[in-house]
Amino acid sequence: MKQIINLTINDKKYEVAVDANLTLLDLLRYQLGLTGAKKGCELGDCGACAVIMDGKPVNSCLVLAVSANGKDITTIEGLEDENGLHPLQQSFVEKGAIQCGFCTSGMILSGKTLLDKNPNPTDKEVRSAISGNLCRCTGYQKIIEAVQSVDSDI
Amino acid sequence: MSNYDVINSNAPRVDTPAKATGKAIFIDDMSMQDMLYGALLQSPIAHGKILNIDVSEAKKLKGVKTVVTAKEAGLIPYGVSPARYDENIFCHDRVRYIGDEIAAVAAVDLETAMEAASLIKVDYEELPALLTIEDAMADGASLLHEKYPQNICAQVNQEFGDFEAGLKQADIIKTTKFKSKRQDGAFLEPQGCIADFNKLTENLTLYSSTQVPHYVQRILSMVLKLPIGKVRVIKPYLGAGFGIKAGTNTMEIASCLLSMQTGKPVKMNYSREQVFMFGRARHQFTHTMTTGAKKDGTLTALKNECYLDGGAYTSFGIATVYYSGSLLGGPYKLPNMKYDGYRIYTNKPACGAQRGHGGVIARACWEQQLDMIAEELCIDPIELRLKNMMVAGDITCNDFNMSSLGMKECIEEIRDSSEWNEKKGKLPKGKGIGMACGFFVSGAGYPIYRSDTYHSTAVIKLTEDGGTALLYTASSEIGQGSDTTMGMIAAETLGIPLSDFRIESGDTDFGVDLGAYSSRQTLMTGHAVYDAAKQVKEQILEVLAKELSIPVEDMDIKKGIILFKKSQPDFSKLREIYIKEHRGWTDNPNADEPLTFKEASRIAFLAKGIISGNGKYKPHQLGGKFKGAAVGTSPAYGCSAQIVELTVDKETGQITIDNMTDAHDCGLAINKVSVEGQMEGSLSMGLGEAMFEEVKFDSKGRIINANLAEYKIPTALDMPPVKAIVVESSEPNGPFGAKEVGEGAIMPTIPAILNAVYDAIGIRIFELPLTPERVYQAIADYKKRKGV
Ligand code: FES
Ligand code: FES
């Protein structure tokens, strides 16, 4: 049985028919072609699938698409605008915070939710904000530098 | 200041804007028209005979397109090393671990494929599961592979110099035993692939999350009986691999078979649990080492005995069992070294290669022992190491040539920047500081199969307008930054900006490259790229020489401009030709500008057609003549020294790593920020292995923590601030003097932590991981022994 849901993704309104057991991650990736959110574990352990839902980072593999009905969602694809990369994306590129890139979407979105609330986070605050996002490549050092070095005026 | 225009800088990587915006395409982001989905049937028991396989119910399920078993797949053995091809695509008579593959299904969607796989009926006669080395080697134990008595998959017995004679010269002798645990690579991207067989042309294309398209291509060709020219392997962006993705996996072959049967593309993915079940990461090692040293600290002899719990198949295991001996040959002067290594088959997933292949635990055991020797001789651990340190040009007892070695510089860097002299032995109780060293190859000296093949090739082509250079290699960008590194080497050599290059890689149609393993790409692919770029440059300058009647030696290309070393010639005629060719274009040069690379390459095109360079590299003859000499020989060796500071809570056994300092000699750093990234990543992987990582099994051989919550890897909260210090030597065998960084930096991490723990609490721990329980127990045992 499919169910119709309405949601906003990256400022665009969608009306989609989804199965009751479909996850938000699979909806994004396989039905809507938004493959920026990655599938690392499907158990809520890695954070590669993180998106922002109503202002909070969530692991989209744990969210049923039906429960995203009426929600406002930002994925990594929604950060770039006509002026180019979002300052945090730019900072990740410049600081060498990206290696394989599989954790990057989730990392950037977790970092962004932190910076939106707290433009000058401490090392500790950045570490806790991204502690649900695993990265096996970087040792986190340059990711933390990238989050902290975003110009807070922007 | 660097003398270079492109390399030896901090360059933003070419692939990261795509990765930062979610545009980079990884394997599971791909789909194809009419694509089917594949699923595997894997053994639910660890050891057993297969009596019967019945696929009839599975075939009947609506939506199923084909089911394949050993009957369709055949029994051509394969593996990693031809010396031990002990795998078949599907089990036919025997299953050897929980997860061993028996059949594969292709269906219209994944749910149907999985349901069909579950409908396949297999009758087993269960055999005792041999889950430990002791069980597997016991008298009368059944053999996993008939050919290998006592379940010894591979055995190495080597002696360099004379161990017993060396021991006689020693004033102090230490023997310790050290045990590690099986690891998981825990890369974030599970393996996946899409096979696409075209029935009309009989061309097979496999898109796969592999570190080694070249080796996968060869295995596919062999087991599927297809001409190698009909097989193409393409690697999309890869969510890292760390060695585990450096062999061919069953899914890669199965998806090809399914596609060949159906004529449709077939997609397959491992779930996270299947990633664990496939295994192929670091073995569990048990080392027993005896080291002799003179009173002044001079090392005289080392005996190293090692047992590796190999799992059900060999994978990289032959190389691993050699590496866990050979990688102690340096970086200290050691005249006498004896090694006995045994890799044992057990009914668990196969182990393979993981960052620091084979050497990490040997290093952990030995570097802790060196600290024990230093303590007994009242020598500072750093002084002991400096005393025995090799220098550039030294050759180890097992014939590794340390053609460059900035080991001493690395030690001095970490010592000074972490105030070792002020801290060692002087920290408050519960706080400790420890150090260790290590080295690693810059690429295996020989391919995995015996061959005179080039290890890397590279093609550079200029576009006909001269504006862009195209670089094609078959190397593997797996997250380490090789595309950028190769682009930088090409741009530096040719004399144009990196932004004028378009870089393509990871496709067997682009040439031969053995891939991303053994930290080989910077040196080996780098050489091929350098060669190609040099050829292109020469061709352009030759044409100019003719046109302008200036000898080639009097010209150069730098930053996209032609330099005339002597007098400035009149090149207006060439410019006129160029502008005529490009009438109306907006980027034509002004009359007062110097002659550009663009113009020169257009002129060269008019003279010679497409300008291209065809680079190649293979190492010179390396290493000794003894059996196993090939494992560990390399054109160059990178090296690292590390200091770790930590706090141990004596009440709970909880260790907190406070900070880490690493210095690594990578030769000339092509891209410094990538070098630091490799160092920082290596340290975090080493920290995880030291502190908490362990794949655990139940009594039936099932993994009980096959997920990333219970198999804990370091989070941002577990990592301390890391200071990465890049030490640059000039490696004569490396392109621009460059060598490895991807793996060497993990070598000292575990022993530096162990040595710091001892400094903090005065207790040596000889088993990993250093969980609070283990540390607490060690403290309790110590107190009992001392009667306190
Ligand atoms: S895929 Fe959602 S947390 Fe890992
Ligand atoms: S960059 Fe590879 S997992 Fe973070």
Side-chain angles (χ1 to χ4, degrees):
Chain A
M1 255 303 283
K2 297 229 190 228
Q3 201 173 318
I4 304 284
I5 58 166
N6 288 280
L7 70 175
T8 308
I9 305 171
N10 303 330
D11 294 331
K12 194 171 147 194
K13 292 199 181 331
Y14 289 83
E15 185 178 87
V16 280
V18 298
D19 284 321
N21 62 356
L22 186 78
T23 63
L24 175 58
L25 177 62
D26 283 359
L27 170 67
L28 292 170
R29 289 181 55 77
Y30 308 128
Q31 254 170 267
L32 303 179
L34 293 166
T35 55
K38 301 296 177 209
K39 190 181 267 192
C41 71
E42 294 185 89
L43 291 168
D45 297 332
C46 74
C49 64
V51 300
I52 301 176
M53 185 156 92
D54 287 350
K56 291 204 188 65
V58 295
N59 286 331
S60 63
C61 70
L62 295 183
V63 176
L64 285 177
V66 288
S67 68
N69 192 15
K71 305 280 190 200
D72 184 18
I73 288 164
T74 305
T75 71
I76 192 69
E77 289 91 346
L79 258 51
E80 211 182 338
D81 62 18
E82 55 286 354
N83 302 319
L85 299 188
H86 182 277
L88 187 56
Q89 291 174 313
Q90 190 61 40
S91 183
F92 266 61
V93 169
E94 279 167 14
K95 295 285 164 192
I98 304 173
Q99 289 190 25
C100 80
F102 208 75
C103 69
T104 306
S105 320
M107 281 292 178
I108 290 179
L109 292 170
S110 291
K112 178 178 182 297
T113 14
L114 170 71
L115 292 175
D116 287 348
K117 284 187 304 220
N118 176 359
N120 292 301
T122 62
D123 175 90
K124 192 80 215 264
E125 286 166 337
V126 179
R127 287 182 190 273
S128 359
I130 60 165
S131 62
N133 297 87
L134 297 176
C135 175
R136 189 59 151 172
C137 301
T138 63
Y140 305 101
Q141 182 79 19
K142 296 200 188 302
I143 292 176
I144 292 158
E145 282 167 23
V147 175
Q148 284 194 311
S149 64
V150 173
D151 190 344
S152 54
D153 305 335
I154 306 178
Chain B
M1 255 315 280
S2 159
N3 298 323
Y4 298 106
D5 298 320
V6 184
I7 62 170
N8 208 215
S9 64
N10 284 312
R13 283 171 49 165
V14 295
D15 53 340
T16 52
K19 289 174 175 176
T21 51
K23 290 187 187 122
I25 298 298
F26 295 75
I27 186 67
D28 189 45
D29 304 338
M30 295 176 58
S31 61
M32 297 177 83
Q33 214 162 19
D34 257 354
M35 187 172 81
L36 302 175
Y37 293 79
L40 292 169
L41 173 68
Q42 293 173 274
S43 172
I45 61 169
H47 200 186
K49 286 189 180 147
I50 296 178
L51 304 176
N52 188 41
I53 303 173
D54 177 3
V55 300
S56 53
E57 291 301 310
K59 279 192 165 159
K60 276 188 226 151
L61 188 70
K62 189 163 169 271
V64 170
K65 297 294 176 190
T66 188
V67 180
V68 290
T69 63
K71 218 157 99 196
E72 292 75 21
L75 294 175
I76 298 178
Y78 75 98
V80 171
S81 162
R84 284 292 183 295
Y85 278 168
D86 56 5
E87 297 186 61
N88 290 123
I89 306 172
F90 297 117
C91 303
H92 64 108
D93 57 348
R94 189 83 170 258
V95 289
R96 297 183 176 87
Y97 72 98
I98 293 180
D100 222 354
E101 298 86 356
I102 298 161
V105 180
V108 290
D109 56 40
L110 182 59
E111 292 67 34
T112 310
M114 285 169 56
E115 194 187 336
S118 75
L119 291 174
I120 298 170
K121 282 204 236 35
V122 185
D123 299 327
Y124 302 99
E125 178 191 320
E126 223 171 315
L127 295 168
L130 306 170
L131 300 176
T132 63
I133 286 179
E134 293 73 24
D135 288 349
M137 296 188 81
D139 284 343
S142 57
L143 298 181
L144 271 80
H145 300 268
E146 293 304 330
K147 275 209 304 226
Y148 299 96
Q150 271 194 290
N151 286 311
I152 299 174
C153 158
Q155 175 173 346
V156 179
N157 304 99
Q158 294 176 328
E159 185 162 2
F160 305 99
D162 181 340
F163 167 73
E164 290 300 337
L167 210 60
K168 285 205 184 96
Q169 297 163 18
D171 299 309
I172 161 175
I173 295 169
K174 274 267 166 267
T175 299
T176 54
K177 188 169 172 176
F178 189 81
K179 188 172 183 171
S180 71
K181 296 295 153 58
R182 167 188 288 248
Q183 299 290 291
D184 185 82
F187 36 77
L188 273 247
E189 180 205 34
Q191 293 95 330
C193 56
I194 299 176
D196 183 16
F197 182 73
N198 183 324
K199 282 204 166 178
L200 291 175
T201 62
E202 298 193 329
N203 279 315
L204 172 70
T205 307
L206 178 74
Y207 303 85
S208 180
S209 63
T210 180
Q211 296 175 231
V212 288
H214 174 77
Y215 288 119
V216 174
Q217 178 194 35
R218 288 180 66 97
I219 294 285
L220 291 179
S221 162
M222 181 177 81
V223 298
L224 300 170
K225 298 185 219 148
L226 292 171
I228 201 148
K230 291 279 182 190
V231 181
R232 179 179 184 186
V233 178
I234 300 175
K235 174 208 70 69
Y237 278 118
L238 191 82
F242 309 115
I244 291 80
K245 294 177 182 167
T248 309
N249 66 51
T250 319
M251 195 168 56
E252 289 171 321
I253 308 174
S255 63
C256 290
L257 260 175
L258 294 170
S259 181
M260 288 167 73
Q261 297 254 330
T262 57
K264 297 212 157 123
V266 177
K267 180 173 192 168
M268 293 181 88
N269 275 103
Y270 280 157
S271 66
R272 181 53 65 178
E273 187 186 14
Q274 285 174 306
V275 173
F276 277 87
M277 284 206 284
F278 180 67
R280 318 275 160 155
R282 178 129 44 242
H283 292 67
Q284 172 171 17
F285 297 83
T286 308
H287 280 277
T288 309
M289 289 188 193
T290 299
T291 301
K294 291 187 187 162
K295 272 201 211 86
D296 67 355
T298 308
L299 299 173
T300 62
L302 165 67
K303 182 166 80 178
N304 170 14
E305 183 190 68
C306 182
Y307 284 87
L308 290 75
D309 182 344
Y313 298 100
T314 302
S315 178
F316 270 93
I318 294 202
T320 319
V321 69
Y322 275 110
Y323 270 129
S324 40
S326 67
L327 286 179
L328 294 184
Y332 311 113
K333 289 184 190 127
L334 179 68
N336 307 296
M337 180 168 85
K338 183 168 163 34
Y339 174 58
D340 298 295
Y342 307 87
R343 184 181 189 273
I344 310 302
Y345 284 125
T346 53
N347 290 118
K348 294 187 283 194
C351 295
Q354 184 176 335
R355 192 178 226 160
H357 193 183
V360 168
I361 301 304
R363 183 60 55 190
C365 177
W366 201 36
E367 294 275 336
Q368 172 155 260
Q369 203 174 61
L370 293 180
D371 258 39
M372 296 165 77
I373 290 171
E375 188 188 25
E376 208 166 311
L377 295 174
C378 299
I379 300 176
D380 180 273
I382 284 188
E383 293 310 317
L384 181 90
R385 287 170 174 87
L386 286 174
K387 172 157 190 68
N388 289 286
M389 196 53 70
M390 297 183 137
V391 295
D394 282 350
I395 295 176
T396 67
C397 63
N398 51 343
D399 280 330
F400 301 170
N401 187 337
M402 300 287 154
S403 38
S404 64
L405 192 73
M407 198 69 249
K408 180 165 168 273
E409 292 76 4
C410 287
I411 294 180
E412 288 166 354
E413 285 284 352
I414 57 162
R415 179 188 65 197
D416 298 345
S417 79
S418 54
E419 298 167 337
W420 170 270
N421 291 339
E422 288 70 51
K423 288 177 180 164
K424 173 69 188 157
K426 298 172 193 140
L427 292 172
K429 267 210 160 90
K431 289 209 174 277
I433 186 167
M435 67 88 57
C437 301
F439 78 104
F440 199 68
V441 301
S442 304
Y446 295 85
I448 294 173
Y449 56 92
R450 261 171 216 256
S451 165
D452 286 329
T453 182
Y454 292 105
H455 291 212
S456 289
T457 64
V459 173
I460 295 177
K461 281 203 307 196
L462 301 183
T463 53
E464 50 84 23
D465 74 310
T468 303
L470 311 174
L471 168 62
Y472 297 99
T473 70
S475 66
S476 292
E477 170 61 75
I478 65 170
Q480 83 284 47
S482 60
D483 278 358
T484 309
T485 300
M486 296 316 143
M488 290 171 82
I489 290 175
E492 182 71 48
T493 311
L494 186 48
I496 64 175
L498 176 59
S499 54
D500 286 352
F501 262 95
R502 259 205 304 274
I503 301 155
E504 301 286 347
S505 65
D507 183 336
T508 52
D509 272 7
F510 296 162
V512 168
D513 194 291
L514 301 184
Y517 72 103
S518 73
S519 295
R520 57 177 296 287
Q521 288 196 161
T522 297
L523 189 143
M524 300 197 178
T525 314
H527 265 304
V529 168
Y530 173 82
D531 183 21
K534 219 171 81 210
Q535 292 173 25
V536 167
K537 184 174 177 175
E538 275 162 10
Q539 291 175 63
I540 290 180
L541 292 181
E542 272 161 23
V543 173
L544 279 187
K546 219 161 143 201
E547 297 283 345
L548 298 169
S549 309
I550 296 179
V552 168
E553 318 77 78
D554 291 351
M555 292 181 288
D556 200 356
I557 309 174
K558 253 180 154 359
K559 296 185 177 166
I561 302 291
I562 310 301
L563 296 184
F564 299 100
K565 297 180 195 164
K566 297 198 170 142
S567 58
Q568 190 74 9
D570 177 12
F571 54 78
S572 55
K573 249 185 56 213
L574 297 184
R575 174 154 292 167
E576 221 170 276
I577 296 172
Y578 179 83
I579 294 180
K580 239 191 231 157
E581 292 277 320
H582 295 163
R583 227 187 299 266
W585 291 28
T586 54
D587 59 345
N588 283 339
N590 294 320
D592 53 351
E593 273 180 51
L595 186 64
T596 62
F597 170 79
K598 241 174 146 179
E599 291 167 280
S601 57
R602 176 65 186 180
I603 301 298
F605 166 73
L606 293 177
K608 298 177 69 148
I610 289 291
I611 302 294
S612 68
N614 173 11
K616 57 198 181 312
Y617 172 77
K618 63 177 156 188
H620 54 281
Q621 187 68 38
L622 289 163
K625 294 268 174 283
F626 56 91
K627 183 162 184 254
V631 184
T633 51
S634 174
Y637 298 90
C639 58
S640 254
Q642 239 162 78
I643 284 179
V644 170
E645 291 178 64
L646 50 73
T647 308
V648 184
D649 181 334
K650 284 186 135 181
E651 304 307 316
T652 60
Q654 180 73 47
I655 297 174
T656 309
I657 308 284
D658 299 323
N659 63 65
M660 301 169 101
T661 308
D662 181 50
H664 186 89
D665 167 20
C666 63
L668 178 119
I670 303 290
N671 190 3
K672 287 185 184 171
V673 70
S674 288
V675 171
E676 291 167 4
Q678 287 302 303
M679 293 163 69
E680 291 156 3
S682 290
L683 266 59
S684 86
M685 189 174 277
L687 181 145
E689 181 161 5
M691 302 293 286
F692 27 71
E693 293 185 38
E694 172 180 4
V695 178
K696 295 181 183 161
F697 294 84
D698 68 12
S699 62
K700 300 254 183 240
R702 180 174 298 279
I703 301 174
I704 57 176
N705 58 344
N707 60 68
L708 293 174
E710 290 160 289
Y711 182 89
K712 186 179 152 41
I713 65 170
T715 68
L717 290 170
D718 299 305
M719 279 309 289
V722 170
K723 187 165 182 188
I725 304 168
V726 179
V727 169
E728 294 181 287
S729 63
S730 181
E731 169 51 53
N733 296 325
F736 294 106
K739 55 184 182 178
E740 78 79 42
V741 64
E743 302 182 75
I746 198 177
M747 290 292 169
T749 307
I750 300 173
I753 291 174
L754 291 164
N755 288 336
V757 168
Y758 179 77
D759 191 50
I761 59 173
I763 300 170
R764 293 270 169 210
I765 299 177
F766 297 100
E767 186 169 346
L768 296 179
L770 300 172
T771 56
E773 301 77 44
R774 178 163 287 115
V775 177
Y776 178 84
Q777 195 55 50
I779 295 171
D781 292 349
Y782 176 82
K783 283 184 177 162
K784 221 165 113 192
R785 270 202 318 271
K786 297 273 161 182
V788 289

